[in-house]
Amino acid sequence: MTLFERLKAAAPDAWRSYVAHPFVAAMGDGSLPEHAFRRYLVQDYLFLIQFARAHALAAYKSRTLADLRAAKAGLSAIVDMELDLHLRLCARWGLSPAQIEATPEHRATVAYTRFVLDCGMSGDLLDLHVALAPCVLGYAEIGRALAPAGVEALHAHPYREWIGEYASDAYQDVATAASRHLDDLGARYLGANRFDELAALFAKASRLEADFWQMALDVSEA
């Protein structure tokens, strides 16, 4: 069992509240209102900027070349893949990068991203990657779940492009590498009495992810 699987098993309710959230279910069946997706997408762009900083912090905290390369890969996945996806989708509503970046961060965005950065600043590299894991690995799991027969089978699904990004081989490879790196960090830093602390951190990060989905559902179209 990987460390990621152990963390999920230790926090089943928190994990389920995130990956099986009504926002995810509605996106999967295509019933998610466009305004909710648009609000999520703009906030997620701002969210990812802070997560890019978290991966830069991981680079600073790296003690090996392998750790440094993992941080670089995570940063590249955000800057070169995910942010571009958000800009492409937002452009359909006439939203420019400047307009998106000028949008105030919602408190749900601030809560999760600053929690992750604080874990990285106050803890070690394992703390930081456990806090990042629900986002990095959770999105890969959600992408697979929403495209069980492959992206081509989604046909004219309204959220096909988003689902396709996270179900893609490229993103799945990022997630697989992240899980392996988490195992490596666990082998180096996970002491006999530390797992429960990390499981609590993972559970909190998962709940903050669920709160982020809920933020998009709670905002009215107006």
Side-chain angles (χ1 to χ4, degrees), residues 159-183:
Y159 301 114
R160 172 178 170 158
E161 190 168 0
W162 187 97
I163 296 169
E165 182 80 10
Y166 295 103
S168 70
D169 290 342
Y171 191 82
Q172 294 296 319
D173 287 347
V174 168
T176 298
S179 181
R180 288 173 180 162
H181 186 234
L182 191 64
D183 283 341

PDB file of all heavy atoms in Angstrom, residues 159-183:
ATOM      1  N   TYR A 159     -18.230  19.587 -19.867  1.00  0.00           N
ATOM      2  CA  TYR A 159     -16.984  19.748 -19.119  1.00  0.00           C
ATOM      3  C   TYR A 159     -15.911  18.764 -19.587  1.00  0.00           C
ATOM      4  O   TYR A 159     -14.999  18.416 -18.840  1.00  0.00           O
ATOM      5  CB  TYR A 159     -17.257  19.620 -17.616  1.00  0.00           C
ATOM      6  CG  TYR A 159     -18.257  20.667 -17.169  1.00  0.00           C
ATOM      7  CD1 TYR A 159     -19.520  20.302 -16.713  1.00  0.00           C
ATOM      8  CD2 TYR A 159     -17.952  22.017 -17.288  1.00  0.00           C
ATOM      9  CE1 TYR A 159     -20.454  21.271 -16.349  1.00  0.00           C
ATOM     10  CE2 TYR A 159     -18.875  22.996 -16.927  1.00  0.00           C
ATOM     11  CZ  TYR A 159     -20.122  22.611 -16.464  1.00  0.00           C
ATOM     12  OH  TYR A 159     -21.035  23.583 -16.123  1.00  0.00           O
ATOM     13  N   ARG A 160     -16.048  18.361 -20.842  1.00  0.00           N
ATOM     14  CA  ARG A 160     -15.111  17.386 -21.397  1.00  0.00           C
ATOM     15  C   ARG A 160     -13.661  17.882 -21.332  1.00  0.00           C
ATOM     16  O   ARG A 160     -12.759  17.108 -21.014  1.00  0.00           O
ATOM     17  CB  ARG A 160     -15.484  17.082 -22.846  1.00  0.00           C
ATOM     18  CG  ARG A 160     -14.459  16.233 -23.569  1.00  0.00           C
ATOM     19  CD  ARG A 160     -14.866  15.899 -24.982  1.00  0.00           C
ATOM     20  NE  ARG A 160     -13.765  15.284 -25.714  1.00  0.00           N
ATOM     21  CZ  ARG A 160     -13.919  14.531 -26.784  1.00  0.00           C
ATOM     22  NH1 ARG A 160     -15.116  14.296 -27.260  1.00  0.00           N
ATOM     23  NH2 ARG A 160     -12.868  14.008 -27.389  1.00  0.00           N
ATOM     24  N   GLU A 161     -13.414  19.147 -21.635  1.00  0.00           N
ATOM     25  CA  GLU A 161     -12.030  19.621 -21.691  1.00  0.00           C
ATOM     26  C   GLU A 161     -11.386  19.580 -20.310  1.00  0.00           C
ATOM     27  O   GLU A 161     -10.229  19.191 -20.164  1.00  0.00           O
ATOM     28  CB  GLU A 161     -11.973  21.036 -22.266  1.00  0.00           C
ATOM     29  CG  GLU A 161     -10.550  21.478 -22.581  1.00  0.00           C
ATOM     30  CD  GLU A 161     -10.498  22.747 -23.426  1.00  0.00           C
ATOM     31  OE1 GLU A 161     -11.558  23.290 -23.763  1.00  0.00           O
ATOM     32  OE2 GLU A 161      -9.374  23.199 -23.732  1.00  0.00           O
ATOM     33  N   TRP A 162     -12.141  19.982 -19.274  1.00  0.00           N
ATOM     34  CA  TRP A 162     -11.602  19.948 -17.903  1.00  0.00           C
ATOM     35  C   TRP A 162     -11.341  18.498 -17.497  1.00  0.00           C
ATOM     36  O   TRP A 162     -10.261  18.166 -16.999  1.00  0.00           O
ATOM     37  CB  TRP A 162     -12.574  20.601 -16.932  1.00  0.00           C
ATOM     38  CG  TRP A 162     -12.031  20.765 -15.544  1.00  0.00           C
ATOM     39  CD1 TRP A 162     -11.458  21.885 -15.007  1.00  0.00           C
ATOM     40  CD2 TRP A 162     -11.995  19.764 -14.500  1.00  0.00           C
ATOM     41  NE1 TRP A 162     -11.062  21.643 -13.703  1.00  0.00           N
ATOM     42  CE2 TRP A 162     -11.385  20.354 -13.369  1.00  0.00           C
ATOM     43  CE3 TRP A 162     -12.419  18.435 -14.411  1.00  0.00           C
ATOM     44  CZ2 TRP A 162     -11.189  19.667 -12.179  1.00  0.00           C
ATOM     45  CZ3 TRP A 162     -12.215  17.740 -13.219  1.00  0.00           C
ATOM     46  CH2 TRP A 162     -11.613  18.351 -12.122  1.00  0.00           C
ATOM     47  N   ILE A 163     -12.335  17.646 -17.695  1.00  0.00           N
ATOM     48  CA  ILE A 163     -12.174  16.234 -17.324  1.00  0.00           C
ATOM     49  C   ILE A 163     -11.010  15.614 -18.087  1.00  0.00           C
ATOM     50  O   ILE A 163     -10.192  14.880 -17.527  1.00  0.00           O
ATOM     51  CB  ILE A 163     -13.480  15.457 -17.583  1.00  0.00           C
ATOM     52  CG1 ILE A 163     -14.604  15.978 -16.681  1.00  0.00           C
ATOM     53  CG2 ILE A 163     -13.270  13.957 -17.356  1.00  0.00           C
ATOM     54  CD1 ILE A 163     -15.990  15.459 -17.054  1.00  0.00           C
ATOM     55  N   GLY A 164     -10.934  15.939 -19.365  1.00  0.00           N
ATOM     56  CA  GLY A 164      -9.877  15.380 -20.197  1.00  0.00           C
ATOM     57  C   GLY A 164      -8.484  15.764 -19.746  1.00  0.00           C
ATOM     58  O   GLY A 164      -7.540  14.972 -19.863  1.00  0.00           O
ATOM     59  N   GLU A 165      -8.357  16.984 -19.218  1.00  0.00           N
ATOM     60  CA  GLU A 165      -7.044  17.427 -18.740  1.00  0.00           C
ATOM     61  C   GLU A 165      -6.551  16.537 -17.612  1.00  0.00           C
ATOM     62  O   GLU A 165      -5.396  16.112 -17.589  1.00  0.00           O
ATOM     63  CB  GLU A 165      -7.145  18.873 -18.253  1.00  0.00           C
ATOM     64  CG  GLU A 165      -5.838  19.466 -17.778  1.00  0.00           C
ATOM     65  CD  GLU A 165      -4.938  19.930 -18.897  1.00  0.00           C
ATOM     66  OE1 GLU A 165      -5.382  19.971 -20.061  1.00  0.00           O
ATOM     67  OE2 GLU A 165      -3.771  20.262 -18.609  1.00  0.00           O
ATOM     68  N   TYR A 166      -7.444  16.227 -16.655  1.00  0.00           N
ATOM     69  CA  TYR A 166      -7.031  15.474 -15.470  1.00  0.00           C
ATOM     70  C   TYR A 166      -7.100  13.961 -15.666  1.00  0.00           C
ATOM     71  O   TYR A 166      -6.485  13.215 -14.906  1.00  0.00           O
ATOM     72  CB  TYR A 166      -7.845  15.941 -14.257  1.00  0.00           C
ATOM     73  CG  TYR A 166      -7.526  17.373 -13.939  1.00  0.00           C
ATOM     74  CD1 TYR A 166      -8.407  18.396 -14.283  1.00  0.00           C
ATOM     75  CD2 TYR A 166      -6.308  17.723 -13.369  1.00  0.00           C
ATOM     76  CE1 TYR A 166      -8.089  19.728 -14.038  1.00  0.00           C
ATOM     77  CE2 TYR A 166      -5.983  19.054 -13.125  1.00  0.00           C
ATOM     78  CZ  TYR A 166      -6.869  20.039 -13.463  1.00  0.00           C
ATOM     79  OH  TYR A 166      -6.543  21.371 -13.227  1.00  0.00           O
ATOM     80  N   ALA A 167      -7.832  13.530 -16.694  1.00  0.00           N
ATOM     81  CA  ALA A 167      -7.847  12.107 -17.039  1.00  0.00           C
ATOM     82  C   ALA A 167      -6.738  11.761 -18.029  1.00  0.00           C
ATOM     83  O   ALA A 167      -6.488  10.577 -18.285  1.00  0.00           O
ATOM     84  CB  ALA A 167      -9.198  11.725 -17.637  1.00  0.00           C
ATOM     85  N   SER A 168      -6.060  12.773 -18.551  1.00  0.00           N
ATOM     86  CA  SER A 168      -5.054  12.562 -19.586  1.00  0.00           C
ATOM     87  C   SER A 168      -3.857  11.767 -19.074  1.00  0.00           C
ATOM     88  O   SER A 168      -3.540  11.772 -17.880  1.00  0.00           O
ATOM     89  CB  SER A 168      -4.559  13.907 -20.126  1.00  0.00           C
ATOM     90  OG  SER A 168      -3.770  14.580 -19.148  1.00  0.00           O
ATOM     91  N   ASP A 169      -3.180  11.106 -19.996  1.00  0.00           N
ATOM     92  CA  ASP A 169      -1.973  10.365 -19.639  1.00  0.00           C
ATOM     93  C   ASP A 169      -0.929  11.299 -19.035  1.00  0.00           C
ATOM     94  O   ASP A 169      -0.216  10.914 -18.095  1.00  0.00           O
ATOM     95  CB  ASP A 169      -1.390   9.673 -20.874  1.00  0.00           C
ATOM     96  CG  ASP A 169      -2.254   8.519 -21.356  1.00  0.00           C
ATOM     97  OD1 ASP A 169      -3.096   8.029 -20.586  1.00  0.00           O
ATOM     98  OD2 ASP A 169      -2.075   8.104 -22.519  1.00  0.00           O
ATOM     99  N   ALA A 170      -0.847  12.517 -19.570  1.00  0.00           N
ATOM    100  CA  ALA A 170       0.166  13.464 -19.086  1.00  0.00           C
ATOM    101  C   ALA A 170      -0.060  13.792 -17.619  1.00  0.00           C
ATOM    102  O   ALA A 170       0.883  13.758 -16.812  1.00  0.00           O
ATOM    103  CB  ALA A 170       0.149  14.741 -19.930  1.00  0.00           C
ATOM    104  N   TYR A 171      -1.319  14.078 -17.242  1.00  0.00           N
ATOM    105  CA  TYR A 171      -1.566  14.412 -15.834  1.00  0.00           C
ATOM    106  C   TYR A 171      -1.486  13.167 -14.952  1.00  0.00           C
ATOM    107  O   TYR A 171      -0.987  13.238 -13.822  1.00  0.00           O
ATOM    108  CB  TYR A 171      -2.920  15.106 -15.640  1.00  0.00           C
ATOM    109  CG  TYR A 171      -3.021  15.674 -14.243  1.00  0.00           C
ATOM    110  CD1 TYR A 171      -2.457  16.906 -13.930  1.00  0.00           C
ATOM    111  CD2 TYR A 171      -3.603  14.934 -13.216  1.00  0.00           C
ATOM    112  CE1 TYR A 171      -2.483  17.397 -12.628  1.00  0.00           C
ATOM    113  CE2 TYR A 171      -3.634  15.417 -11.918  1.00  0.00           C
ATOM    114  CZ  TYR A 171      -3.069  16.649 -11.636  1.00  0.00           C
ATOM    115  OH  TYR A 171      -3.083  17.134 -10.336  1.00  0.00           O
ATOM    116  N   GLN A 172      -1.951  12.044 -15.451  1.00  0.00           N
ATOM    117  CA  GLN A 172      -1.867  10.808 -14.671  1.00  0.00           C
ATOM    118  C   GLN A 172      -0.410  10.453 -14.387  1.00  0.00           C
ATOM    119  O   GLN A 172      -0.083   9.960 -13.304  1.00  0.00           O
ATOM    120  CB  GLN A 172      -2.567   9.670 -15.410  1.00  0.00           C
ATOM    121  CG  GLN A 172      -4.074   9.839 -15.546  1.00  0.00           C
ATOM    122  CD  GLN A 172      -4.802   9.825 -14.217  1.00  0.00           C
ATOM    123  OE1 GLN A 172      -4.490   9.031 -13.328  1.00  0.00           O
ATOM    124  NE2 GLN A 172      -5.775  10.715 -14.065  1.00  0.00           N
ATOM    125  N   ASP A 173       0.471  10.734 -15.337  1.00  0.00           N
ATOM    126  CA  ASP A 173       1.900  10.498 -15.117  1.00  0.00           C
ATOM    127  C   ASP A 173       2.444  11.418 -14.025  1.00  0.00           C
ATOM    128  O   ASP A 173       3.279  11.011 -13.206  1.00  0.00           O
ATOM    129  CB  ASP A 173       2.682  10.722 -16.415  1.00  0.00           C
ATOM    130  CG  ASP A 173       2.471   9.610 -17.436  1.00  0.00           C
ATOM    131  OD1 ASP A 173       1.931   8.546 -17.059  1.00  0.00           O
ATOM    132  OD2 ASP A 173       2.838   9.816 -18.607  1.00  0.00           O
ATOM    133  N   VAL A 174       1.982  12.670 -14.029  1.00  0.00           N
ATOM    134  CA  VAL A 174       2.376  13.615 -12.971  1.00  0.00           C
ATOM    135  C   VAL A 174       1.960  13.066 -11.610  1.00  0.00           C
ATOM    136  O   VAL A 174       2.733  13.085 -10.642  1.00  0.00           O
ATOM    137  CB  VAL A 174       1.747  14.997 -13.218  1.00  0.00           C
ATOM    138  CG1 VAL A 174       1.893  15.895 -11.987  1.00  0.00           C
ATOM    139  CG2 VAL A 174       2.395  15.678 -14.422  1.00  0.00           C
ATOM    140  N   ALA A 175       0.731  12.579 -11.519  1.00  0.00           N
ATOM    141  CA  ALA A 175       0.216  12.057 -10.251  1.00  0.00           C
ATOM    142  C   ALA A 175       0.966  10.803  -9.814  1.00  0.00           C
ATOM    143  O   ALA A 175       1.271  10.638  -8.619  1.00  0.00           O
ATOM    144  CB  ALA A 175      -1.275  11.760 -10.385  1.00  0.00           C
ATOM    145  N   THR A 176       1.264   9.916 -10.750  1.00  0.00           N
ATOM    146  CA  THR A 176       2.016   8.705 -10.411  1.00  0.00           C
ATOM    147  C   THR A 176       3.388   9.050  -9.866  1.00  0.00           C
ATOM    148  O   THR A 176       3.840   8.481  -8.859  1.00  0.00           O
ATOM    149  CB  THR A 176       2.162   7.802 -11.657  1.00  0.00           C
ATOM    150  OG1 THR A 176       0.863   7.389 -12.097  1.00  0.00           O
ATOM    151  CG2 THR A 176       2.996   6.572 -11.350  1.00  0.00           C
ATOM    152  N   ALA A 177       4.049  10.012 -10.505  1.00  0.00           N
ATOM    153  CA  ALA A 177       5.365  10.446 -10.025  1.00  0.00           C
ATOM    154  C   ALA A 177       5.255  11.083  -8.650  1.00  0.00           C
ATOM    155  O   ALA A 177       6.118  10.876  -7.785  1.00  0.00           O
ATOM    156  CB  ALA A 177       5.990  11.413 -11.024  1.00  0.00           C
ATOM    157  N   ALA A 178       4.190  11.853  -8.424  1.00  0.00           N
ATOM    158  CA  ALA A 178       3.997  12.503  -7.127  1.00  0.00           C
ATOM    159  C   ALA A 178       3.770  11.468  -6.026  1.00  0.00           C
ATOM    160  O   ALA A 178       4.266  11.611  -4.904  1.00  0.00           O
ATOM    161  CB  ALA A 178       2.813  13.471  -7.197  1.00  0.00           C
ATOM    162  N   SER A 179       3.019  10.415  -6.334  1.00  0.00           N
ATOM    163  CA  SER A 179       2.784   9.355  -5.351  1.00  0.00           C
ATOM    164  C   SER A 179       4.079   8.619  -5.018  1.00  0.00           C
ATOM    165  O   SER A 179       4.356   8.319  -3.835  1.00  0.00           O
ATOM    166  CB  SER A 179       1.740   8.373  -5.890  1.00  0.00           C
ATOM    167  OG  SER A 179       1.477   7.349  -4.955  1.00  0.00           O
ATOM    168  N   ARG A 180       4.881   8.353  -6.025  1.00  0.00           N
ATOM    169  CA  ARG A 180       6.160   7.687  -5.778  1.00  0.00           C
ATOM    170  C   ARG A 180       7.095   8.562  -4.946  1.00  0.00           C
ATOM    171  O   ARG A 180       7.794   8.070  -4.050  1.00  0.00           O
ATOM    172  CB  ARG A 180       6.818   7.344  -7.113  1.00  0.00           C
ATOM    173  CG  ARG A 180       6.143   6.202  -7.866  1.00  0.00           C
ATOM    174  CD  ARG A 180       6.729   6.019  -9.242  1.00  0.00           C
ATOM    175  NE  ARG A 180       6.090   4.928  -9.958  1.00  0.00           N
ATOM    176  CZ  ARG A 180       6.157   4.764 -11.274  1.00  0.00           C
ATOM    177  NH1 ARG A 180       6.851   5.615 -12.018  1.00  0.00           N
ATOM    178  NH2 ARG A 180       5.542   3.748 -11.858  1.00  0.00           N
ATOM    179  N   HIS A 181       7.074   9.853  -5.231  1.00  0.00           N
ATOM    180  CA  HIS A 181       7.919  10.759  -4.455  1.00  0.00           C
ATOM    181  C   HIS A 181       7.439  10.842  -3.006  1.00  0.00           C
ATOM    182  O   HIS A 181       8.249  10.905  -2.081  1.00  0.00           O
ATOM    183  CB  HIS A 181       7.919  12.151  -5.096  1.00  0.00           C
ATOM    184  CG  HIS A 181       8.869  13.097  -4.462  1.00  0.00           C
ATOM    185  ND1 HIS A 181       8.497  14.337  -3.991  1.00  0.00           N
ATOM    186  CD2 HIS A 181      10.210  12.985  -4.191  1.00  0.00           C
ATOM    187  CE1 HIS A 181       9.553  14.939  -3.483  1.00  0.00           C
ATOM    188  NE2 HIS A 181      10.585  14.151  -3.578  1.00  0.00           N
ATOM    189  N   LEU A 182       6.116  10.805  -2.807  1.00  0.00           N
ATOM    190  CA  LEU A 182       5.579  10.801  -1.451  1.00  0.00           C
ATOM    191  C   LEU A 182       6.042   9.553  -0.703  1.00  0.00           C
ATOM    192  O   LEU A 182       6.405   9.625   0.483  1.00  0.00           O
ATOM    193  CB  LEU A 182       4.052  10.852  -1.518  1.00  0.00           C
ATOM    194  CG  LEU A 182       3.307  11.108  -0.203  1.00  0.00           C
ATOM    195  CD1 LEU A 182       3.635  12.491   0.356  1.00  0.00           C
ATOM    196  CD2 LEU A 182       1.798  10.986  -0.423  1.00  0.00           C
ATOM    197  N   ASP A 183       6.058   8.413  -1.384  1.00  0.00           N
ATOM    198  CA  ASP A 183       6.560   7.184  -0.758  1.00  0.00           C
ATOM    199  C   ASP A 183       8.035   7.330  -0.377  1.00  0.00           C
ATOM    200  O   ASP A 183       8.450   6.876   0.703  1.00  0.00           O
ATOM    201  CB  ASP A 183       6.405   5.999  -1.720  1.00  0.00           C
ATOM    202  CG  ASP A 183       4.981   5.493  -1.806  1.00  0.00           C
ATOM    203  OD1 ASP A 183       4.194   5.785  -0.889  1.00  0.00           O
ATOM    204  OD2 ASP A 183       4.657   4.818  -2.797  1.00  0.00           O
TER     205      ASP A 183
END
